Short mmCIF file of all heavy atoms in Angstrom, two decimals:
data_model
loop_
_atom_site.label_atom_id
_atom_site.label_comp_id
_atom_site.label_asym_id
_atom_site.label_seq_id
_atom_site.Cartn_x
_atom_site.Cartn_y
_atom_site.Cartn_z
N LYS C 305 0.84 -1.21 0.00
CA LYS C 305 0.00 0.00 0.00
C LYS C 305 0.87 1.25 0.00
O LYS C 305 0.60 2.22 -0.70
CB LYS C 305 -0.91 0.01 1.24
CG LYS C 305 -2.07 -0.98 1.16
CD LYS C 305 -2.85 -0.93 2.46
CE LYS C 305 -4.03 -1.91 2.41
NZ LYS C 305 -4.65 -2.04 3.73
N ASN C 306 1.94 1.23 0.81
CA ASN C 306 2.82 2.40 0.90
C ASN C 306 3.56 2.63 -0.42
O ASN C 306 3.75 3.77 -0.85
CB ASN C 306 3.83 2.21 2.03
CG ASN C 306 4.58 3.50 2.32
OD1 ASN C 306 4.02 4.43 2.86
ND2 ASN C 306 5.82 3.56 1.91
N ALA C 307 3.94 1.53 -1.07
CA ALA C 307 4.69 1.64 -2.34
C ALA C 307 3.89 2.39 -3.39
O ALA C 307 4.46 3.11 -4.23
CB ALA C 307 5.07 0.25 -2.85
N LEU C 308 2.56 2.25 -3.36
CA LEU C 308 1.72 2.93 -4.35
C LEU C 308 1.82 4.45 -4.22
O LEU C 308 1.56 5.17 -5.16
CB LEU C 308 0.25 2.50 -4.19
CG LEU C 308 -0.04 1.02 -4.47
CD1 LEU C 308 -1.47 0.68 -4.14
CD2 LEU C 308 0.27 0.67 -5.92
N ARG C 309 2.23 4.92 -3.03
CA ARG C 309 2.36 6.38 -2.81
C ARG C 309 3.76 6.88 -3.13
O ARG C 309 4.07 8.04 -2.87
CB ARG C 309 2.02 6.71 -1.36
CG ARG C 309 0.63 6.23 -0.96
CD ARG C 309 0.31 6.54 0.49
NE ARG C 309 -0.97 5.92 0.85
CZ ARG C 309 -1.12 5.07 1.85
NH1 ARG C 309 -0.09 4.75 2.61
NH2 ARG C 309 -2.31 4.56 2.12
N MET C 310 4.62 5.99 -3.65
CA MET C 310 6.02 6.35 -3.88
C MET C 310 6.33 6.53 -5.36
O MET C 310 7.48 6.47 -5.77
CB MET C 310 6.93 5.28 -3.27
CG MET C 310 6.76 5.14 -1.77
SD MET C 310 7.60 3.70 -1.07
CE MET C 310 9.29 4.27 -1.05
N ARG C 311 5.29 6.74 -6.15
CA ARG C 311 5.42 6.96 -7.59
C ARG C 311 6.28 5.91 -8.31
O ARG C 311 7.20 6.21 -9.06
CB ARG C 311 6.01 8.36 -7.86
CG ARG C 311 5.83 8.85 -9.28
CD ARG C 311 7.16 9.37 -9.85
NE ARG C 311 7.13 9.50 -11.28
CZ ARG C 311 7.48 8.52 -12.12
NH1 ARG C 311 7.84 7.34 -11.68
NH2 ARG C 311 7.44 8.73 -13.42
N PRO C 312 5.96 4.60 -8.10
CA PRO C 312 6.74 3.59 -8.81
C PRO C 312 6.21 3.41 -10.23
O PRO C 312 5.02 3.63 -10.50
CB PRO C 312 6.47 2.32 -7.99
CG PRO C 312 5.08 2.53 -7.46
CD PRO C 312 4.92 4.01 -7.25
N ASP C 313 7.11 3.05 -11.16
CA ASP C 313 6.64 2.58 -12.47
C ASP C 313 6.24 1.11 -12.38
O ASP C 313 5.30 0.68 -13.01
CB ASP C 313 7.74 2.77 -13.52
CG ASP C 313 7.94 4.24 -13.84
OD1 ASP C 313 6.97 4.87 -14.29
OD2 ASP C 313 9.05 4.76 -13.63
N ARG C 314 7.03 0.36 -11.60
CA ARG C 314 6.71 -1.06 -11.38
C ARG C 314 6.97 -1.40 -9.92
O ARG C 314 7.87 -0.84 -9.30
CB ARG C 314 7.60 -1.97 -12.24
CG ARG C 314 7.59 -1.66 -13.71
CD ARG C 314 8.38 -2.72 -14.46
NE ARG C 314 8.68 -2.27 -15.82
CZ ARG C 314 8.64 -3.06 -16.89
NH1 ARG C 314 8.32 -4.32 -16.77
NH2 ARG C 314 8.93 -2.58 -18.08
N ILE C 315 6.18 -2.35 -9.42
CA ILE C 315 6.40 -2.87 -8.06
C ILE C 315 6.84 -4.32 -8.19
O ILE C 315 6.22 -5.10 -8.92
CB ILE C 315 5.10 -2.76 -7.23
CG1 ILE C 315 4.71 -1.30 -7.03
CG2 ILE C 315 5.26 -3.45 -5.87
CD1 ILE C 315 3.38 -1.09 -6.37
N ILE C 316 7.92 -4.66 -7.52
CA ILE C 316 8.42 -6.04 -7.55
C ILE C 316 8.27 -6.61 -6.14
O ILE C 316 8.92 -6.13 -5.20
CB ILE C 316 9.92 -6.10 -7.95
CG1 ILE C 316 10.21 -5.21 -9.15
CG2 ILE C 316 10.36 -7.54 -8.17
CD1 ILE C 316 9.82 -5.73 -10.50
N VAL C 317 7.38 -7.58 -5.96
CA VAL C 317 7.21 -8.22 -4.65
C VAL C 317 7.98 -9.53 -4.67
O VAL C 317 7.76 -10.37 -5.54
CB VAL C 317 5.71 -8.47 -4.35
CG1 VAL C 317 5.54 -9.17 -3.01
CG2 VAL C 317 4.93 -7.16 -4.34
N GLY C 318 8.92 -9.67 -3.70
CA GLY C 318 9.77 -10.87 -3.69
C GLY C 318 8.97 -12.14 -3.72
O GLY C 318 9.28 -13.07 -4.46
N GLU C 319 7.91 -12.22 -2.91
CA GLU C 319 7.05 -13.41 -2.92
C GLU C 319 5.71 -13.06 -2.30
O GLU C 319 5.68 -12.42 -1.24
CB GLU C 319 7.70 -14.54 -2.11
CG GLU C 319 6.90 -15.82 -2.15
CD GLU C 319 7.41 -16.87 -1.16
OE1 GLU C 319 8.58 -16.80 -0.76
OE2 GLU C 319 6.61 -17.74 -0.78
N VAL C 320 4.62 -13.47 -2.93
CA VAL C 320 3.31 -13.29 -2.28
C VAL C 320 2.97 -14.59 -1.55
O VAL C 320 3.13 -15.67 -2.09
CB VAL C 320 2.16 -12.93 -3.28
CG1 VAL C 320 2.28 -11.50 -3.73
CG2 VAL C 320 2.09 -13.87 -4.45
N ARG C 321 2.54 -14.44 -0.29
CA ARG C 321 2.21 -15.64 0.48
C ARG C 321 1.00 -15.42 1.39
O ARG C 321 0.70 -16.24 2.24
CB ARG C 321 3.40 -16.10 1.31
CG ARG C 321 4.03 -15.03 2.19
CD ARG C 321 4.94 -15.66 3.24
NE ARG C 321 6.17 -16.12 2.68
CZ ARG C 321 7.27 -15.37 2.57
NH1 ARG C 321 7.25 -14.12 2.99
NH2 ARG C 321 8.38 -15.86 2.06
N GLY C 322 0.32 -14.28 1.23
CA GLY C 322 -0.81 -14.01 2.10
C GLY C 322 -1.71 -12.94 1.51
O GLY C 322 -1.81 -12.78 0.29
N GLU C 323 -2.32 -12.14 2.40
CA GLU C 323 -3.33 -11.18 1.95
C GLU C 323 -2.77 -10.07 1.09
O GLU C 323 -3.50 -9.37 0.40
CB GLU C 323 -4.08 -10.58 3.15
CG GLU C 323 -3.28 -9.64 4.03
CD GLU C 323 -2.72 -10.31 5.27
OE1 GLU C 323 -3.46 -10.97 5.99
OE2 GLU C 323 -1.51 -10.14 5.51
N GLU C 324 -1.41 -9.91 1.07
CA GLU C 324 -0.83 -8.86 0.21
C GLU C 324 -1.07 -9.15 -1.27
O GLU C 324 -0.93 -8.26 -2.11
CB GLU C 324 0.67 -8.69 0.47
CG GLU C 324 1.56 -9.83 0.03
CD GLU C 324 1.65 -10.95 1.06
OE1 GLU C 324 1.05 -10.85 2.14
OE2 GLU C 324 2.32 -11.95 0.76
N ALA C 325 -1.46 -10.40 -1.60
CA ALA C 325 -1.77 -10.74 -3.00
C ALA C 325 -2.88 -9.84 -3.53
O ALA C 325 -2.86 -9.42 -4.69
CB ALA C 325 -2.20 -12.21 -3.10
N PHE C 326 -3.86 -9.51 -2.67
CA PHE C 326 -4.97 -8.64 -3.08
C PHE C 326 -4.44 -7.26 -3.49
O PHE C 326 -4.79 -6.74 -4.55
CB PHE C 326 -5.98 -8.52 -1.93
CG PHE C 326 -7.07 -7.53 -2.19
CD1 PHE C 326 -8.10 -7.83 -3.08
CD2 PHE C 326 -7.08 -6.29 -1.58
CE1 PHE C 326 -9.11 -6.91 -3.33
CE2 PHE C 326 -8.08 -5.37 -1.81
CZ PHE C 326 -9.10 -5.68 -2.70
N ASP C 327 -3.56 -6.69 -2.65
CA ASP C 327 -3.03 -5.34 -2.94
C ASP C 327 -2.12 -5.37 -4.17
O ASP C 327 -2.09 -4.41 -4.94
CB ASP C 327 -2.27 -4.82 -1.72
CG ASP C 327 -3.15 -4.84 -0.48
OD1 ASP C 327 -3.98 -3.94 -0.34
OD2 ASP C 327 -3.03 -5.79 0.31
N MET C 328 -1.39 -6.48 -4.33
CA MET C 328 -0.52 -6.62 -5.51
C MET C 328 -1.35 -6.61 -6.79
O MET C 328 -1.01 -5.93 -7.77
CB MET C 328 0.26 -7.94 -5.38
CG MET C 328 1.21 -8.22 -6.52
SD MET C 328 2.68 -7.19 -6.43
CE MET C 328 3.22 -7.23 -8.13
N LEU C 329 -2.46 -7.35 -6.78
CA LEU C 329 -3.33 -7.38 -7.97
C LEU C 329 -3.94 -6.00 -8.22
O LEU C 329 -4.04 -5.56 -9.38
CB LEU C 329 -4.46 -8.40 -7.79
CG LEU C 329 -4.04 -9.88 -7.78
CD1 LEU C 329 -5.25 -10.76 -7.54
CD2 LEU C 329 -3.36 -10.28 -9.09
N GLN C 330 -4.32 -5.30 -7.14
CA GLN C 330 -4.86 -3.96 -7.29
C GLN C 330 -3.83 -3.05 -7.96
O GLN C 330 -4.15 -2.27 -8.85
CB GLN C 330 -5.22 -3.37 -5.91
CG GLN C 330 -6.33 -4.09 -5.19
CD GLN C 330 -7.68 -3.81 -5.82
OE1 GLN C 330 -8.06 -4.45 -6.82
NE2 GLN C 330 -8.42 -2.86 -5.29
N ALA C 331 -2.57 -3.18 -7.52
CA ALA C 331 -1.50 -2.35 -8.10
C ALA C 331 -1.34 -2.65 -9.59
O ALA C 331 -1.22 -1.73 -10.41
CB ALA C 331 -0.18 -2.61 -7.36
N MET C 332 -1.35 -3.93 -9.94
CA MET C 332 -1.20 -4.31 -11.36
C MET C 332 -2.37 -3.79 -12.20
O MET C 332 -2.22 -3.54 -13.39
CB MET C 332 -1.11 -5.84 -11.49
CG MET C 332 0.20 -6.44 -10.98
SD MET C 332 0.13 -8.24 -11.00
CE MET C 332 1.85 -8.67 -10.72
N ASN C 333 -3.52 -3.65 -11.55
CA ASN C 333 -4.72 -3.21 -12.27
C ASN C 333 -4.90 -1.69 -12.28
O ASN C 333 -5.84 -1.19 -12.87
CB ASN C 333 -5.98 -3.84 -11.65
CG ASN C 333 -6.21 -5.25 -12.18
OD1 ASN C 333 -5.95 -5.52 -13.34
ND2 ASN C 333 -6.68 -6.14 -11.33
N THR C 334 -4.01 -0.97 -11.59
CA THR C 334 -4.20 0.49 -11.50
C THR C 334 -2.98 1.23 -12.00
O THR C 334 -2.49 2.14 -11.33
CB THR C 334 -4.51 0.91 -10.05
OG1 THR C 334 -3.47 0.38 -9.19
CG2 THR C 334 -5.85 0.41 -9.58
N GLY C 335 -2.46 0.83 -13.14
CA GLY C 335 -1.41 1.63 -13.76
C GLY C 335 0.01 1.21 -13.43
O GLY C 335 0.94 1.94 -13.73
#
């Protein structure tokens, strides 16, 4: 969630293993 406020072009998550998968998908779907 914090990374989305840091003006990234891409977010690289080392590994999804829990509820952060939801936020990761949201990020991929929002630019």
